[in-house]
Amino acid sequence: MKQSQLFTHTLKELPKDETSYNAQVLLRAGFIDKVAAGVYSFLPLGWRVMEKIRQIIREEMQFIGGQEINLPTLAPKENWQKTGRWESLDILFKIAASDKKEYALNPTHEEVVTPLAGKFINSYRELPFAVFQIQTKFRNEKRAKAGLLRGREFTMKDLYSFHADQVDLDRYYEQVIQAYVRIFNRVGLGANTYLTFAAGGSFSKYSHEFQTLTAAGEDLIYICDKCHLAVNQEIITEQSVCPQCGDKDWRKEKAVEVGNIFKLGTRYSDAFALSYSDKNGVKQPVVMGCYGLGLSRIMGTVVEVCHDERGIIWPQSIAPFRVHLLSLKANGEAEKIYQKLGQDGIEVLYDDRDVSAGEKFAEADLIGCPYRLVISQKTLIQNGVEIKRRVSQETEIIKFNHITAYVQ
């Protein structure tokens, strides 16, 4: 991608009501655009990041047997009334159609996926299975703030599993935990993210969250460093020791919830009469689990965790481009490098604009690609380019024929 061809550009001024770091830097760098409180457009750079997060999640969900589907955004009022959540869920967006029928803009999809499963489950032979989707969700947040960390419209992965009994749900639940660990490692948040015990509500004694440490977080968690586990502050009075090792040596930190998993039991199966015939022909309720990940929230959290005073430092796995190529009055040679890297399968953002070197350097740091390549008359004399990792202050000159190997 040539930077001169991007229809977007960096911003000098920001919306006065945007106070979170992730929103400020993503807006400035041209990754997103603010439409309203908690509602953002994803621009070319931002969408590239989102697609890479999406692909990582998709691969890990398929690895544990998840089958990808796409469910409707709208669900009839009747579905939500069956679970009692039409009246009780205060974040639910409700709309009326021209025929006066009412619908919910789904914040989650238990009310859709459960009756869907009922159309295909009859026997124990059809269990277990799991389905997932990556889709836009809507929540009528009263405090839509913190940029991508708390939105009214956002992208989420939701996985739903269906089982014959609790033992099988417990088995699959552990597989999902390990898949989530792999996902957070792959997107660059693994070292800062903790499996966290949280209130289970009516489903089970505990649910689990995945919490990433950052000063921008709204949650408080207590960490056991021995086990790399945490407990949400909301249950710390009832869970006064580490649930794994029994240690009381907690470390209190602020964090952002980037994922959550629940053992639903038969809560939704009962509401929709979802059952199966066991080996003896006896009807039994299907046992369910649900597992959520916020893609846009992950993106915002990465920015909160991975940055310095100059801008974003993208992990290589989800960076919009691997290389940011800057030409300083050497467009002919830069074009050759741009073409060669593309042929070698390296994603390159090529700053071919006629602007000052200082502006190019500043924007490269702001955008945050893992590698910056600079070609100038000075580097041409040395038959090479200046290369710098975004995570480092050091620069070096490397020969043209070594570039691809260096940045792979």
Side-chain angles (χ1 to χ4, degrees), residues 83 85 89 108 110-111 160 166 169-170 173 198-208 260-270 287-291:
T83 62
R85 296 208 291 178
L89 195 61
T108 181
E110 287 85 354
E111 278 78 3
Y160 303 92
Q166 187 69 36
L169 170 60
D170 293 346
Y173 195 84
S202 59
F203 310 138
S204 59
K205 184 177 181 182
Y206 299 119
S207 65
H208 292 92
N260 53 52
I261 56 178
F262 296 91
K263 295 179 181 179
L264 299 177
T266 63
R267 162 79 166 84
Y268 294 95
S269 303
D270 292 341
V287 181
M288 293 175 57
C290 73
Y291 320 86

PDB file of all heavy atoms in Angstrom, residues 83 85 89 108 110-111 160 166 169-170 173 198-208 260-270 287-291:
ATOM      1  N   THR A  83     -36.587 -16.069  27.991  1.00  0.00           N
ATOM      2  CA  THR A  83     -35.497 -16.169  28.964  1.00  0.00           C
ATOM      3  C   THR A  83     -35.628 -15.142  30.078  1.00  0.00           C
ATOM      4  O   THR A  83     -34.801 -15.111  30.997  1.00  0.00           O
ATOM      5  CB  THR A  83     -34.142 -15.966  28.265  1.00  0.00           C
ATOM      6  OG1 THR A  83     -34.085 -14.654  27.694  1.00  0.00           O
ATOM      7  CG2 THR A  83     -33.921 -17.003  27.180  1.00  0.00           C
ATOM      8  N   ARG A  85     -35.166 -12.000  29.792  1.00  0.00           N
ATOM      9  CA  ARG A  85     -34.168 -10.925  29.682  1.00  0.00           C
ATOM     10  C   ARG A  85     -34.691  -9.702  28.925  1.00  0.00           C
ATOM     11  O   ARG A  85     -34.004  -8.682  28.878  1.00  0.00           O
ATOM     12  CB  ARG A  85     -32.894 -11.446  29.029  1.00  0.00           C
ATOM     13  CG  ARG A  85     -32.202 -12.515  29.859  1.00  0.00           C
ATOM     14  CD  ARG A  85     -30.720 -12.556  29.626  1.00  0.00           C
ATOM     15  NE  ARG A  85     -30.346 -13.046  28.308  1.00  0.00           N
ATOM     16  CZ  ARG A  85     -29.075 -13.127  27.885  1.00  0.00           C
ATOM     17  NH1 ARG A  85     -28.086 -12.741  28.689  1.00  0.00           N
ATOM     18  NH2 ARG A  85     -28.797 -13.603  26.683  1.00  0.00           N
ATOM     19  N   LEU A  89     -32.632  -7.137  31.207  1.00  0.00           N
ATOM     20  CA  LEU A  89     -31.317  -6.761  30.697  1.00  0.00           C
ATOM     21  C   LEU A  89     -31.327  -5.293  30.302  1.00  0.00           C
ATOM     22  O   LEU A  89     -31.891  -4.904  29.272  1.00  0.00           O
ATOM     23  CB  LEU A  89     -30.937  -7.649  29.500  1.00  0.00           C
ATOM     24  CG  LEU A  89     -29.473  -7.637  29.084  1.00  0.00           C
ATOM     25  CD1 LEU A  89     -28.577  -8.138  30.209  1.00  0.00           C
ATOM     26  CD2 LEU A  89     -29.262  -8.468  27.829  1.00  0.00           C
ATOM     27  N   THR A 108     -25.770 -10.412  22.605  1.00  0.00           N
ATOM     28  CA  THR A 108     -25.273 -11.777  22.716  1.00  0.00           C
ATOM     29  C   THR A 108     -26.337 -12.655  22.089  1.00  0.00           C
ATOM     30  O   THR A 108     -27.437 -12.182  21.784  1.00  0.00           O
ATOM     31  CB  THR A 108     -25.012 -12.131  24.198  1.00  0.00           C
ATOM     32  OG1 THR A 108     -24.498 -13.455  24.278  1.00  0.00           O
ATOM     33  CG2 THR A 108     -26.271 -12.014  25.037  1.00  0.00           C
ATOM     34  N   GLU A 110     -27.577 -16.110  22.874  1.00  0.00           N
ATOM     35  CA  GLU A 110     -28.203 -17.309  23.452  1.00  0.00           C
ATOM     36  C   GLU A 110     -29.653 -17.447  22.997  1.00  0.00           C
ATOM     37  O   GLU A 110     -30.138 -18.569  22.766  1.00  0.00           O
ATOM     38  CB  GLU A 110     -28.153 -17.251  24.983  1.00  0.00           C
ATOM     39  CG  GLU A 110     -26.789 -17.494  25.586  1.00  0.00           C
ATOM     40  CD  GLU A 110     -25.938 -16.228  25.654  1.00  0.00           C
ATOM     41  OE1 GLU A 110     -26.376 -15.174  25.129  1.00  0.00           O
ATOM     42  OE2 GLU A 110     -24.844 -16.288  26.227  1.00  0.00           O
ATOM     43  N   GLU A 111     -30.350 -16.308  22.873  1.00  0.00           N
ATOM     44  CA  GLU A 111     -31.772 -16.339  22.499  1.00  0.00           C
ATOM     45  C   GLU A 111     -32.010 -16.724  21.041  1.00  0.00           C
ATOM     46  O   GLU A 111     -33.145 -16.982  20.641  1.00  0.00           O
ATOM     47  CB  GLU A 111     -32.417 -14.970  22.782  1.00  0.00           C
ATOM     48  CG  GLU A 111     -32.833 -14.754  24.217  1.00  0.00           C
ATOM     49  CD  GLU A 111     -31.674 -14.411  25.152  1.00  0.00           C
ATOM     50  OE1 GLU A 111     -30.536 -14.287  24.659  1.00  0.00           O
ATOM     51  OE2 GLU A 111     -31.908 -14.259  26.364  1.00  0.00           O
ATOM     52  N   TYR A 160     -20.660 -21.106  21.301  1.00  0.00           N
ATOM     53  CA  TYR A 160     -21.650 -21.795  22.128  1.00  0.00           C
ATOM     54  C   TYR A 160     -21.435 -23.301  21.979  1.00  0.00           C
ATOM     55  O   TYR A 160     -21.320 -23.807  20.858  1.00  0.00           O
ATOM     56  CB  TYR A 160     -23.074 -21.430  21.698  1.00  0.00           C
ATOM     57  CG  TYR A 160     -23.317 -19.938  21.754  1.00  0.00           C
ATOM     58  CD1 TYR A 160     -23.105 -19.144  20.622  1.00  0.00           C
ATOM     59  CD2 TYR A 160     -23.723 -19.315  22.930  1.00  0.00           C
ATOM     60  CE1 TYR A 160     -23.295 -17.770  20.670  1.00  0.00           C
ATOM     61  CE2 TYR A 160     -23.915 -17.946  22.981  1.00  0.00           C
ATOM     62  CZ  TYR A 160     -23.694 -17.172  21.853  1.00  0.00           C
ATOM     63  OH  TYR A 160     -23.876 -15.820  21.916  1.00  0.00           O
ATOM     64  N   GLN A 166     -22.734 -32.556  32.327  1.00  0.00           N
ATOM     65  CA  GLN A 166     -21.805 -31.588  32.905  1.00  0.00           C
ATOM     66  C   GLN A 166     -20.353 -32.014  32.726  1.00  0.00           C
ATOM     67  O   GLN A 166     -19.469 -31.170  32.521  1.00  0.00           O
ATOM     68  CB  GLN A 166     -22.104 -31.406  34.403  1.00  0.00           C
ATOM     69  CG  GLN A 166     -21.315 -30.302  35.072  1.00  0.00           C
ATOM     70  CD  GLN A 166     -21.727 -28.914  34.597  1.00  0.00           C
ATOM     71  OE1 GLN A 166     -22.900 -28.677  34.346  1.00  0.00           O
ATOM     72  NE2 GLN A 166     -20.755 -28.011  34.486  1.00  0.00           N
ATOM     73  N   LEU A 169     -19.230 -30.926  29.361  1.00  0.00           N
ATOM     74  CA  LEU A 169     -19.063 -29.475  29.340  1.00  0.00           C
ATOM     75  C   LEU A 169     -17.766 -29.079  30.028  1.00  0.00           C
ATOM     76  O   LEU A 169     -17.003 -28.238  29.511  1.00  0.00           O
ATOM     77  CB  LEU A 169     -20.245 -28.785  30.034  1.00  0.00           C
ATOM     78  CG  LEU A 169     -20.083 -27.281  30.299  1.00  0.00           C
ATOM     79  CD1 LEU A 169     -19.882 -26.497  29.008  1.00  0.00           C
ATOM     80  CD2 LEU A 169     -21.287 -26.730  31.064  1.00  0.00           C
ATOM     81  N   ASP A 170     -17.476 -29.687  31.190  1.00  0.00           N
ATOM     82  CA  ASP A 170     -16.247 -29.364  31.917  1.00  0.00           C
ATOM     83  C   ASP A 170     -15.010 -29.655  31.063  1.00  0.00           C
ATOM     84  O   ASP A 170     -14.042 -28.891  31.063  1.00  0.00           O
ATOM     85  CB  ASP A 170     -16.174 -30.162  33.217  1.00  0.00           C
ATOM     86  CG  ASP A 170     -17.240 -29.743  34.222  1.00  0.00           C
ATOM     87  OD1 ASP A 170     -17.848 -28.671  34.025  1.00  0.00           O
ATOM     88  OD2 ASP A 170     -17.465 -30.489  35.181  1.00  0.00           O
ATOM     89  N   TYR A 173     -14.805 -26.986  28.336  1.00  0.00           N
ATOM     90  CA  TYR A 173     -14.508 -25.693  28.972  1.00  0.00           C
ATOM     91  C   TYR A 173     -12.994 -25.517  29.137  1.00  0.00           C
ATOM     92  O   TYR A 173     -12.449 -24.444  28.876  1.00  0.00           O
ATOM     93  CB  TYR A 173     -15.209 -25.662  30.325  1.00  0.00           C
ATOM     94  CG  TYR A 173     -15.337 -24.328  31.000  1.00  0.00           C
ATOM     95  CD1 TYR A 173     -16.378 -23.461  30.689  1.00  0.00           C
ATOM     96  CD2 TYR A 173     -14.451 -23.945  32.008  1.00  0.00           C
ATOM     97  CE1 TYR A 173     -16.538 -22.252  31.348  1.00  0.00           C
ATOM     98  CE2 TYR A 173     -14.586 -22.744  32.672  1.00  0.00           C
ATOM     99  CZ  TYR A 173     -15.637 -21.893  32.337  1.00  0.00           C
ATOM    100  OH  TYR A 173     -15.777 -20.691  32.990  1.00  0.00           O
ATOM    101  N   ALA A 198     -14.540 -15.032  38.535  1.00  0.00           N
ATOM    102  CA  ALA A 198     -15.535 -13.965  38.685  1.00  0.00           C
ATOM    103  C   ALA A 198     -16.851 -14.577  39.136  1.00  0.00           C
ATOM    104  O   ALA A 198     -17.008 -15.805  39.174  1.00  0.00           O
ATOM    105  CB  ALA A 198     -15.709 -13.222  37.358  1.00  0.00           C
ATOM    106  N   ALA A 199     -17.795 -13.704  39.470  1.00  0.00           N
ATOM    107  CA  ALA A 199     -19.104 -14.175  39.910  1.00  0.00           C
ATOM    108  C   ALA A 199     -19.758 -14.973  38.807  1.00  0.00           C
ATOM    109  O   ALA A 199     -19.719 -14.596  37.633  1.00  0.00           O
ATOM    110  CB  ALA A 199     -19.981 -12.992  40.308  1.00  0.00           C
ATOM    111  N   GLY A 200     -20.397 -16.088  39.172  1.00  0.00           N
ATOM    112  CA  GLY A 200     -21.027 -16.954  38.175  1.00  0.00           C
ATOM    113  C   GLY A 200     -22.479 -16.668  37.917  1.00  0.00           C
ATOM    114  O   GLY A 200     -23.081 -17.240  37.032  1.00  0.00           O
ATOM    115  N   GLY A 201     -23.070 -15.775  38.738  1.00  0.00           N
ATOM    116  CA  GLY A 201     -24.491 -15.487  38.574  1.00  0.00           C
ATOM    117  C   GLY A 201     -25.314 -16.723  38.872  1.00  0.00           C
ATOM    118  O   GLY A 201     -25.036 -17.476  39.803  1.00  0.00           O
ATOM    119  N   SER A 202     -26.331 -16.938  38.060  1.00  0.00           N
ATOM    120  CA  SER A 202     -27.217 -18.079  38.287  1.00  0.00           C
ATOM    121  C   SER A 202     -26.720 -19.342  37.603  1.00  0.00           C
ATOM    122  O   SER A 202     -27.332 -20.393  37.706  1.00  0.00           O
ATOM    123  CB  SER A 202     -28.619 -17.746  37.754  1.00  0.00           C
ATOM    124  OG  SER A 202     -28.549 -17.450  36.372  1.00  0.00           O
ATOM    125  N   PHE A 203     -25.587 -19.260  36.885  1.00  0.00           N
ATOM    126  CA  PHE A 203     -25.138 -20.387  36.076  1.00  0.00           C
ATOM    127  C   PHE A 203     -24.308 -21.379  36.884  1.00  0.00           C
ATOM    128  O   PHE A 203     -24.478 -22.583  36.778  1.00  0.00           O
ATOM    129  CB  PHE A 203     -24.328 -19.892  34.870  1.00  0.00           C
ATOM    130  CG  PHE A 203     -25.005 -18.794  34.093  1.00  0.00           C
ATOM    131  CD1 PHE A 203     -24.282 -17.712  33.628  1.00  0.00           C
ATOM    132  CD2 PHE A 203     -26.360 -18.842  33.827  1.00  0.00           C
ATOM    133  CE1 PHE A 203     -24.901 -16.705  32.899  1.00  0.00           C
ATOM    134  CE2 PHE A 203     -26.990 -17.846  33.103  1.00  0.00           C
ATOM    135  CZ  PHE A 203     -26.258 -16.775  32.644  1.00  0.00           C
ATOM    136  N   SER A 204     -23.356 -20.900  37.632  1.00  0.00           N
ATOM    137  CA  SER A 204     -22.467 -21.767  38.400  1.00  0.00           C
ATOM    138  C   SER A 204     -21.833 -20.917  39.490  1.00  0.00           C
ATOM    139  O   SER A 204     -22.035 -19.704  39.540  1.00  0.00           O
ATOM    140  CB  SER A 204     -21.390 -22.381  37.498  1.00  0.00           C
ATOM    141  OG  SER A 204     -20.631 -21.366  36.881  1.00  0.00           O
ATOM    142  N   LYS A 205     -21.038 -21.558  40.356  1.00  0.00           N
ATOM    143  CA  LYS A 205     -20.422 -20.798  41.446  1.00  0.00           C
ATOM    144  C   LYS A 205     -19.518 -19.703  40.918  1.00  0.00           C
ATOM    145  O   LYS A 205     -19.520 -18.581  41.416  1.00  0.00           O
ATOM    146  CB  LYS A 205     -19.631 -21.747  42.355  1.00  0.00           C
ATOM    147  CG  LYS A 205     -19.034 -21.035  43.573  1.00  0.00           C
ATOM    148  CD  LYS A 205     -18.324 -22.000  44.498  1.00  0.00           C
ATOM    149  CE  LYS A 205     -17.771 -21.262  45.717  1.00  0.00           C
ATOM    150  NZ  LYS A 205     -17.039 -22.173  46.620  1.00  0.00           N
ATOM    151  N   TYR A 206     -18.730 -20.032  39.896  1.00  0.00           N
ATOM    152  CA  TYR A 206     -17.835 -19.057  39.290  1.00  0.00           C
ATOM    153  C   TYR A 206     -17.986 -19.073  37.772  1.00  0.00           C
ATOM    154  O   TYR A 206     -18.284 -20.102  37.171  1.00  0.00           O
ATOM    155  CB  TYR A 206     -16.363 -19.383  39.607  1.00  0.00           C
ATOM    156  CG  TYR A 206     -16.018 -19.376  41.058  1.00  0.00           C
ATOM    157  CD1 TYR A 206     -15.546 -20.526  41.686  1.00  0.00           C
ATOM    158  CD2 TYR A 206     -16.132 -18.207  41.824  1.00  0.00           C
ATOM    159  CE1 TYR A 206     -15.216 -20.530  43.025  1.00  0.00           C
ATOM    160  CE2 TYR A 206     -15.813 -18.206  43.161  1.00  0.00           C
ATOM    161  CZ  TYR A 206     -15.356 -19.367  43.765  1.00  0.00           C
ATOM    162  OH  TYR A 206     -15.038 -19.372  45.097  1.00  0.00           O
ATOM    163  N   SER A 207     -17.772 -17.920  37.185  1.00  0.00           N
ATOM    164  CA  SER A 207     -17.466 -17.855  35.762  1.00  0.00           C
ATOM    165  C   SER A 207     -15.996 -17.460  35.677  1.00  0.00           C
ATOM    166  O   SER A 207     -15.331 -17.297  36.701  1.00  0.00           O
ATOM    167  CB  SER A 207     -18.352 -16.826  35.058  1.00  0.00           C
ATOM    168  OG  SER A 207     -18.069 -15.514  35.538  1.00  0.00           O
ATOM    169  N   HIS A 208     -15.500 -17.323  34.481  1.00  0.00           N
ATOM    170  CA  HIS A 208     -14.107 -16.902  34.321  1.00  0.00           C
ATOM    171  C   HIS A 208     -14.014 -15.766  33.321  1.00  0.00           C
ATOM    172  O   HIS A 208     -14.728 -15.747  32.319  1.00  0.00           O
ATOM    173  CB  HIS A 208     -13.236 -18.076  33.846  1.00  0.00           C
ATOM    174  CG  HIS A 208     -13.065 -19.149  34.863  1.00  0.00           C
ATOM    175  ND1 HIS A 208     -13.903 -20.241  34.941  1.00  0.00           N
ATOM    176  CD2 HIS A 208     -12.164 -19.295  35.861  1.00  0.00           C
ATOM    177  CE1 HIS A 208     -13.532 -21.017  35.944  1.00  0.00           C
ATOM    178  NE2 HIS A 208     -12.476 -20.475  36.516  1.00  0.00           N
ATOM    179  N   ASN A 260     -14.612 -13.596  28.282  1.00  0.00           N
ATOM    180  CA  ASN A 260     -15.279 -14.260  29.409  1.00  0.00           C
ATOM    181  C   ASN A 260     -15.864 -15.589  28.952  1.00  0.00           C
ATOM    182  O   ASN A 260     -16.156 -15.793  27.777  1.00  0.00           O
ATOM    183  CB  ASN A 260     -16.367 -13.380  30.024  1.00  0.00           C
ATOM    184  CG  ASN A 260     -17.362 -12.888  28.984  1.00  0.00           C
ATOM    185  OD1 ASN A 260     -17.920 -13.659  28.225  1.00  0.00           O
ATOM    186  ND2 ASN A 260     -17.601 -11.586  28.959  1.00  0.00           N
ATOM    187  N   ILE A 261     -15.977 -16.510  29.878  1.00  0.00           N
ATOM    188  CA  ILE A 261     -16.531 -17.835  29.591  1.00  0.00           C
ATOM    189  C   ILE A 261     -17.459 -18.240  30.726  1.00  0.00           C
ATOM    190  O   ILE A 261     -17.206 -17.950  31.894  1.00  0.00           O
ATOM    191  CB  ILE A 261     -15.421 -18.882  29.373  1.00  0.00           C
ATOM    192  CG1 ILE A 261     -14.470 -18.954  30.564  1.00  0.00           C
ATOM    193  CG2 ILE A 261     -14.636 -18.569  28.106  1.00  0.00           C
ATOM    194  CD1 ILE A 261     -13.377 -20.016  30.396  1.00  0.00           C
ATOM    195  N   PHE A 262     -18.566 -18.905  30.363  1.00  0.00           N
ATOM    196  CA  PHE A 262     -19.589 -19.282  31.325  1.00  0.00           C
ATOM    197  C   PHE A 262     -20.024 -20.720  31.104  1.00  0.00           C
ATOM    198  O   PHE A 262     -20.178 -21.166  29.968  1.00  0.00           O
ATOM    199  CB  PHE A 262     -20.856 -18.416  31.172  1.00  0.00           C
ATOM    200  CG  PHE A 262     -20.669 -16.963  31.462  1.00  0.00           C
ATOM    201  CD1 PHE A 262     -20.336 -16.085  30.437  1.00  0.00           C
ATOM    202  CD2 PHE A 262     -20.854 -16.459  32.742  1.00  0.00           C
ATOM    203  CE1 PHE A 262     -20.185 -14.734  30.686  1.00  0.00           C
ATOM    204  CE2 PHE A 262     -20.712 -15.106  32.996  1.00  0.00           C
ATOM    205  CZ  PHE A 262     -20.368 -14.248  31.977  1.00  0.00           C
ATOM    206  N   LYS A 263     -20.256 -21.418  32.194  1.00  0.00           N
ATOM    207  CA  LYS A 263     -20.962 -22.692  32.141  1.00  0.00           C
ATOM    208  C   LYS A 263     -22.445 -22.373  32.335  1.00  0.00           C
ATOM    209  O   LYS A 263     -22.895 -22.104  33.450  1.00  0.00           O
ATOM    210  CB  LYS A 263     -20.451 -23.637  33.214  1.00  0.00           C
ATOM    211  CG  LYS A 263     -18.994 -24.056  33.009  1.00  0.00           C
ATOM    212  CD  LYS A 263     -18.504 -24.984  34.110  1.00  0.00           C
ATOM    213  CE  LYS A 263     -17.039 -25.371  33.890  1.00  0.00           C
ATOM    214  NZ  LYS A 263     -16.517 -26.243  34.957  1.00  0.00           N
ATOM    215  N   LEU A 264     -23.199 -22.400  31.245  1.00  0.00           N
ATOM    216  CA  LEU A 264     -24.601 -22.002  31.295  1.00  0.00           C
ATOM    217  C   LEU A 264     -25.488 -23.071  31.906  1.00  0.00           C
ATOM    218  O   LEU A 264     -26.599 -22.768  32.341  1.00  0.00           O
ATOM    219  CB  LEU A 264     -25.108 -21.684  29.883  1.00  0.00           C
ATOM    220  CG  LEU A 264     -24.416 -20.541  29.151  1.00  0.00           C
ATOM    221  CD1 LEU A 264     -24.985 -20.401  27.751  1.00  0.00           C
ATOM    222  CD2 LEU A 264     -24.561 -19.239  29.917  1.00  0.00           C
ATOM    223  N   GLY A 265     -25.027 -24.309  31.923  1.00  0.00           N
ATOM    224  CA  GLY A 265     -25.877 -25.389  32.414  1.00  0.00           C
ATOM    225  C   GLY A 265     -27.094 -25.551  31.516  1.00  0.00           C
ATOM    226  O   GLY A 265     -26.988 -25.584  30.290  1.00  0.00           O
ATOM    227  N   THR A 266     -28.281 -25.610  32.123  1.00  0.00           N
ATOM    228  CA  THR A 266     -29.522 -25.784  31.355  1.00  0.00           C
ATOM    229  C   THR A 266     -30.381 -24.521  31.389  1.00  0.00           C
ATOM    230  O   THR A 266     -31.572 -24.571  31.080  1.00  0.00           O
ATOM    231  CB  THR A 266     -30.328 -26.979  31.888  1.00  0.00           C
ATOM    232  OG1 THR A 266     -30.716 -26.719  33.252  1.00  0.00           O
ATOM    233  CG2 THR A 266     -29.512 -28.265  31.819  1.00  0.00           C
ATOM    234  N   ARG A 267     -29.762 -23.397  31.764  1.00  0.00           N
ATOM    235  CA  ARG A 267     -30.514 -22.134  31.873  1.00  0.00           C
ATOM    236  C   ARG A 267     -31.291 -21.809  30.595  1.00  0.00           C
ATOM    237  O   ARG A 267     -32.482 -21.507  30.630  1.00  0.00           O
ATOM    238  CB  ARG A 267     -29.513 -21.021  32.213  1.00  0.00           C
ATOM    239  CG  ARG A 267     -29.982 -19.599  31.971  1.00  0.00           C
ATOM    240  CD  ARG A 267     -30.888 -19.095  33.065  1.00  0.00           C
ATOM    241  NE  ARG A 267     -31.051 -17.657  32.987  1.00  0.00           N
ATOM    242  CZ  ARG A 267     -31.922 -17.024  32.214  1.00  0.00           C
ATOM    243  NH1 ARG A 267     -32.702 -17.715  31.400  1.00  0.00           N
ATOM    244  NH2 ARG A 267     -32.023 -15.705  32.229  1.00  0.00           N
ATOM    245  N   TYR A 268     -30.651 -21.881  29.460  1.00  0.00           N
ATOM    246  CA  TYR A 268     -31.310 -21.539  28.200  1.00  0.00           C
ATOM    247  C   TYR A 268     -31.974 -22.760  27.568  1.00  0.00           C
ATOM    248  O   TYR A 268     -32.987 -22.635  26.868  1.00  0.00           O
ATOM    249  CB  TYR A 268     -30.312 -20.890  27.246  1.00  0.00           C
ATOM    250  CG  TYR A 268     -29.858 -19.552  27.772  1.00  0.00           C
ATOM    251  CD1 TYR A 268     -28.694 -19.433  28.519  1.00  0.00           C
ATOM    252  CD2 TYR A 268     -30.620 -18.411  27.569  1.00  0.00           C
ATOM    253  CE1 TYR A 268     -28.297 -18.216  29.043  1.00  0.00           C
ATOM    254  CE2 TYR A 268     -30.242 -17.185  28.093  1.00  0.00           C
ATOM    255  CZ  TYR A 268     -29.077 -17.094  28.827  1.00  0.00           C
ATOM    256  OH  TYR A 268     -28.704 -15.892  29.356  1.00  0.00           O
ATOM    257  N   SER A 269     -31.427 -23.937  27.820  1.00  0.00           N
ATOM    258  CA  SER A 269     -32.078 -25.155  27.340  1.00  0.00           C
ATOM    259  C   SER A 269     -33.484 -25.289  27.918  1.00  0.00           C
ATOM    260  O   SER A 269     -34.438 -25.640  27.210  1.00  0.00           O
ATOM    261  CB  SER A 269     -31.251 -26.386  27.732  1.00  0.00           C
ATOM    262  OG  SER A 269     -29.948 -26.293  27.237  1.00  0.00           O
ATOM    263  N   ASP A 270     -33.615 -25.006  29.203  1.00  0.00           N
ATOM    264  CA  ASP A 270     -34.929 -25.086  29.838  1.00  0.00           C
ATOM    265  C   ASP A 270     -35.892 -24.064  29.236  1.00  0.00           C
ATOM    266  O   ASP A 270     -37.063 -24.363  28.998  1.00  0.00           O
ATOM    267  CB  ASP A 270     -34.805 -24.849  31.343  1.00  0.00           C
ATOM    268  CG  ASP A 270     -34.073 -25.981  32.058  1.00  0.00           C
ATOM    269  OD1 ASP A 270     -33.977 -27.085  31.476  1.00  0.00           O
ATOM    270  OD2 ASP A 270     -33.577 -25.755  33.180  1.00  0.00           O
ATOM    271  N   VAL A 287     -26.908 -29.510  28.028  1.00  0.00           N
ATOM    272  CA  VAL A 287     -26.067 -28.661  28.878  1.00  0.00           C
ATOM    273  C   VAL A 287     -25.232 -27.754  27.976  1.00  0.00           C
ATOM    274  O   VAL A 287     -24.624 -28.226  27.014  1.00  0.00           O
ATOM    275  CB  VAL A 287     -25.168 -29.514  29.785  1.00  0.00           C
ATOM    276  CG1 VAL A 287     -24.309 -28.635  30.681  1.00  0.00           C
ATOM    277  CG2 VAL A 287     -26.019 -30.475  30.617  1.00  0.00           C
ATOM    278  N   MET A 288     -25.182 -26.465  28.301  1.00  0.00           N
ATOM    279  CA  MET A 288     -24.556 -25.498  27.398  1.00  0.00           C
ATOM    280  C   MET A 288     -23.432 -24.708  28.073  1.00  0.00           C
ATOM    281  O   MET A 288     -23.405 -24.552  29.298  1.00  0.00           O
ATOM    282  CB  MET A 288     -25.606 -24.487  26.885  1.00  0.00           C
ATOM    283  CG  MET A 288     -26.655 -25.082  25.974  1.00  0.00           C
ATOM    284  SD  MET A 288     -27.944 -23.869  25.539  1.00  0.00           S
ATOM    285  CE  MET A 288     -26.958 -22.559  24.798  1.00  0.00           C
ATOM    286  N   GLY A 289     -22.526 -24.202  27.236  1.00  0.00           N
ATOM    287  CA  GLY A 289     -21.509 -23.243  27.662  1.00  0.00           C
ATOM    288  C   GLY A 289     -21.443 -22.120  26.648  1.00  0.00           C
ATOM    289  O   GLY A 289     -21.806 -22.291  25.472  1.00  0.00           O
ATOM    290  N   CYS A 290     -20.997 -20.934  27.069  1.00  0.00           N
ATOM    291  CA  CYS A 290     -20.807 -19.830  26.129  1.00  0.00           C
ATOM    292  C   CYS A 290     -19.482 -19.144  26.436  1.00  0.00           C
ATOM    293  O   CYS A 290     -19.039 -19.096  27.590  1.00  0.00           O
ATOM    294  CB  CYS A 290     -21.958 -18.837  26.144  1.00  0.00           C
ATOM    295  SG  CYS A 290     -22.029 -17.777  27.594  1.00  0.00           S
ATOM    296  N   TYR A 291     -18.872 -18.578  25.374  1.00  0.00           N
ATOM    297  CA  TYR A 291     -17.492 -18.121  25.471  1.00  0.00           C
ATOM    298  C   TYR A 291     -17.331 -16.892  24.570  1.00  0.00           C
ATOM    299  O   TYR A 291     -17.451 -16.990  23.347  1.00  0.00           O
ATOM    300  CB  TYR A 291     -16.542 -19.235  25.022  1.00  0.00           C
ATOM    301  CG  TYR A 291     -16.968 -20.618  25.505  1.00  0.00           C
ATOM    302  CD1 TYR A 291     -17.885 -21.381  24.776  1.00  0.00           C
ATOM    303  CD2 TYR A 291     -16.477 -21.145  26.698  1.00  0.00           C
ATOM    304  CE1 TYR A 291     -18.285 -22.638  25.214  1.00  0.00           C
ATOM    305  CE2 TYR A 291     -16.866 -22.400  27.137  1.00  0.00           C
ATOM    306  CZ  TYR A 291     -17.785 -23.148  26.398  1.00  0.00           C
ATOM    307  OH  TYR A 291     -18.185 -24.393  26.840  1.00  0.00           O
TER     308      TYR A 291
END
